[in-house]
Amino acid sequence: MLALKDVGKTYPNGVHALERFSAEIQPGEIIAIIGGSGCGKSTLLRAIAGLDRASTGSVTLDNAVITSPHAEIGIIFQEPRLLPWLSVADNIGFGLADLPADARRERIAAALARVGLADKAAAWPRELSGGQAQRVAIARALVPQPEVLLLDEPFSALDAFTRRDLQDHLLDLWADTRPTLILVTHDVDEAVVLADRVLVMRPRPGRLFEEITINLARPRDRKSELFDTFKRRVLTALDRSLDRSVRDVTDKSSAGEAMWW
Amino acid sequence: MTVDLPALEQTAAPRAAPARWSRVVRPALGLVVPVVLALGWELVVYLGYSNGRLVPPPSKVFETIVALAKSGELSRHILATLWRVGAGFALGVIAGTVMGAISGYWDFAKRLLDPTVQALRAIPSLAWVPLFVLWLGIFETSKVALIAVGVFFPIYLGVMGAILSVDRKIVEVGRVFRLSGPAMIRRILLPAVLPAYVVALRVGLGLGWMFVVAAELIGASEGLGYLLLDGQQLGKPAQILAAIVIFAILGKLTDWLIEVAAAPLLRWQDAFGARGGA
């Protein structure tokens, strides 16, 4: 179980990015974190990943306190971040350096086939499309079979069709080993189609505003009325979260900040 | 990539022939001007419009090279020069790489060392010559030292700049996979700086060839630079031109060696772009 207790972050420049965030996340759960700009979503994710240390509170995974990157926690960023000097296959195997060569090759081949890129094994990253590159990134993160996979707006740079494809594909891959997924997103549709729970955050300082449980069976029909109902609920919560922050911060509110959709 | 090449030509069958033709012709085009000039001068001297004493025709230069080669002089001079460039280049590369890596990797070292190095860089390197001669004598040591100084700066700057510009996001991938310090250097930093490093090596080698001439003009009893000086003092322009031609060939050849040696390591970067341009 992943436990977040009073996680807060104040950057050295004085920016108070995240305040007392607490949550308990069960193994195999899919969590979507959504909110306007500056609500500390990415800060939170980086603290869970152990890339940045929280200023207050703690992140624990199965009773191990996370202060630096952990073998059981993988992360996928907004950009694929593939290593341009390694072939697609070697990129996927990047985290498997400790395995004997045979076992590594098998795992890589299986992962390549699983993400539908078996024919691209020898290709260089720059020969891939954006969607293909992100699939390689997903394979690279999943191939060491982490308990927890963090995703920081992983599909936001892709076009709508590719994004949908990859959302469905991610669920497929998730079903293989059922890791915990924690997904930061701007996209209400994405949150509702993927998550068991949607955590709506509000900005300045970032904190949890509302938690919405999506008890819809998978696979979810994006066109169903029930799906729309949940989307409306998330949208309403987001609206309220931003209204309230506008009232809190009396000096200025920029239109750009409110454009989370 | 070599496997893909014929495939590409097949798919572009109607264009393949002109493409191959232009691949031969385009470099050849660059030879037209020098060849025409050389043949023209040869003709001018042959027809007696000029005696070609100060500007000897190509045939005379070629004769000089052959004569030098036959007497065994040429290989002695070439080896002496190659040895100096090789030793100076090696020293400059080692010092430049180590210092550049330290300054690039460690901010404190950069603040401490970089201003001094930059100030030294501002000194025209030939200004060191009298001092090196005083300190290190007139023989090999001062020559190699001068070449090493010339090679050092572009390597230092190249390595430091390359390390400083390694993408933080890529380094973070290494952190996520919990690479140790040495593994981070071997698996992330080294491959990331390699393209810039190869460029720095080539620039450094070019400067090495420049400085060997300066070093050999200081006073040498052998080497291509000595051939230049000897040709000037004894009024043998053909010998000067012969030495210049050999300098050009050796410079190009050694540069090409670096390029060829690095090519398999940089395939991820170059291969596709080069092919796309053809």
Side-chain angles (χ1 to χ4, degrees):
Chain A
M1 189 186 71
L2 187 70
L4 312 176
K5 194 161 180 297
D6 293 335
V7 177
K9 177 79 183 179
T10 307
Y11 284 102
N13 60 10
V15 172
H16 192 28
L18 184 67
E19 187 171 89
R20 294 170 62 85
F21 187 100
S22 295
E24 288 194 348
I25 299 163
Q26 301 304 320
E29 223 182 337
I30 303 181
I31 303 289
I33 300 174
I34 196 167
S37 307
C39 69
K41 309 184 296 279
S42 293
T43 304
L44 178 64
L45 208 68
R46 291 179 65 85
I48 301 173
L51 286 172
D52 291 334
R53 218 181 259 214
S55 322
T56 63
S58 64
V59 178
T60 51
L61 175 66
D62 303 332
N63 299 325
V65 180
I66 304 295
T67 53
S68 60
H70 189 278
E72 290 297 340
I73 302 178
I75 184 164
I76 295 167
F77 300 97
Q78 186 175 356
E79 329 79 26
R81 299 199 187 180
L82 303 181
L83 304 176
W85 53 85
L86 295 180
S87 69
V88 165
D90 288 339
N91 262 290
I92 291 178
F94 191 77
L96 302 176
D98 300 337
L99 284 185
D102 282 353
R104 188 166 70 235
R105 219 169 302 132
E106 255 169 53
R107 293 268 287 274
I108 292 170
L112 271 168
R114 195 70 187 84
V115 294
L117 292 171
D119 56 329
K120 297 284 185 190
W124 300 114
R126 66 191 153 67
E127 294 168 301
L128 303 176
S129 69
Q132 288 172 333
Q134 199 57 306
R135 271 193 274 170
V136 174
I138 293 173
R140 177 176 67 183
L142 279 175
V143 94
Q145 299 180 341
E147 252 177 70
V148 177
L149 182 63
L150 310 172
L151 303 103
D152 191 359
E153 302 182 24
F155 309 134
S156 61
L158 304 172
D159 65 85
F161 295 108
T162 313
R163 193 181 310 162
R164 248 182 208 208
D165 257 10
L166 282 191
Q167 286 161 359
D168 295 340
H169 194 61
L170 178 70
L171 279 179
D172 259 13
L173 294 172
W174 169 79
D176 290 348
T177 53
R178 292 194 168 247
T180 307
L181 296 190
I182 303 177
L183 167 92
V184 161
T185 182
H186 280 289
D187 182 345
V188 175
D189 211 69
E190 182 167 287
V192 175
V193 89
L194 294 176
D196 297 309
R197 275 194 284 163
V198 177
L199 307 182
V200 179
M201 295 184 68
R202 44 160 287 190
R204 276 161 290 161
R207 66 173 76 158
L208 183 59
F209 178 71
E210 194 173 323
E211 179 180 321
I212 298 164
T213 305
I214 313 281
N215 46 359
L216 271 175
R218 293 193 181 90
R220 292 170 181 168
D221 180 2
R222 288 180 172 88
K223 294 180 294 290
S224 73
E225 257 174 58
L226 213 50
F227 190 87
D228 268 345
T229 313
F230 279 108
K231 257 175 80 174
R232 254 196 309 280
R233 280 183 59 185
V234 175
L235 278 166
T236 312
L238 271 169
D239 274 342
R240 284 195 296 125
S241 79
L242 288 171
D243 277 354
R244 202 179 273 190
S245 71
V246 170
R247 222 176 296 147
D248 283 354
V249 182
T250 44
D251 49 3
K252 60 169 189 252
S253 75
S254 64
E257 293 276 313
M259 287 178 61
W260 39 260
W261 58 82
Chain B
M1 293 304 102
T2 47
V3 185
D4 289 1
L5 209 80
L8 185 90
E9 283 178 352
Q10 273 165 16
T11 53
R15 286 171 137 217
R20 200 173 301 149
W21 184 76
S22 75
R23 210 171 293 163
V24 180
V25 165
R26 210 178 291 165
L29 213 57
L31 289 174
V32 168
V33 173
V35 166
V36 165
L37 281 178
L39 287 179
W41 187 242
E42 187 74 50
L43 203 67
V44 166
V45 175
Y46 178 77
L47 294 176
Y49 292 110
S50 164
N51 60 17
R53 212 159 48 78
L54 278 179
V55 188
S59 60
K60 187 86 186 305
V61 175
F62 186 70
E63 261 170 43
T64 311
I65 294 177
V66 171
L68 280 169
K70 270 187 184 154
S71 67
E73 286 283 282
L74 189 64
S75 55
R76 184 168 67 91
H77 293 305
I78 287 179
L79 282 178
T81 297
L82 271 180
W83 184 86
R84 286 170 190 142
V85 173
F89 182 65
L91 286 175
V93 166
I94 291 168
T97 306
V98 170
M99 295 263 300
I102 292 172
S103 291
Y105 196 71
W106 191 22
D107 195 49
F108 176 74
K110 181 166 163 263
R111 280 163 208 272
L112 188 73
L113 298 174
D114 194 54
T116 309
V117 176
Q118 297 296 349
L120 289 176
R121 194 169 73 93
I123 300 169
S125 303
L126 294 185
W128 293 109
V129 169
L131 206 57
F132 282 178
V133 171
L134 274 184
W135 284 348
L136 304 168
I138 193 95
F139 300 110
E140 295 304 302
T141 321
S142 60
K143 295 183 177 57
V144 170
L146 184 68
I147 296 166
V149 166
V151 172
F152 171 82
F153 290 106
I155 304 277
Y156 168 84
L157 282 179
V159 170
M160 185 177 73
I163 291 179
L164 286 176
S165 63
V166 171
D167 192 351
R168 183 189 56 78
K169 291 177 170 176
I170 292 278
V171 175
E172 214 162 69
V173 171
R175 285 186 62 203
V176 167
F177 286 102
R178 300 177 321 289
L179 297 187
S180 63
M184 185 72 102
I185 290 172
R186 189 173 56 81
R187 299 183 67 190
I188 304 272
L189 290 179
L190 274 185
V193 303
L194 199 61
Y197 190 55
V198 171
V199 173
L201 285 179
R202 292 174 67 177
V203 174
L205 184 67
L207 280 172
W209 281 107
M210 253 172 78
F211 277 79
V212 79
V213 177
E216 289 179 344
L217 288 178
I218 298 172
S221 54
E222 56 181 5
L224 293 169
Y226 164 79
L227 277 186
L228 291 175
L229 200 64
D230 184 63
Q232 182 213 331
Q233 283 167 349
L234 299 182
K236 294 188 282 190
Q239 185 180 312
I240 298 178
L241 281 174
I244 287 175
V245 167
I246 291 167
F247 265 127
I249 292 171
L250 287 178
K252 183 70 195 159
L253 205 67
T254 46
D255 183 63
W256 177 78
L257 278 179
I258 294 184
E259 204 183 333
V260 166
L265 298 172
L266 297 180
R267 246 165 15 119
W268 56 273
Q269 191 195 31
D270 280 332
F272 202 76
R275 196 178 58 187

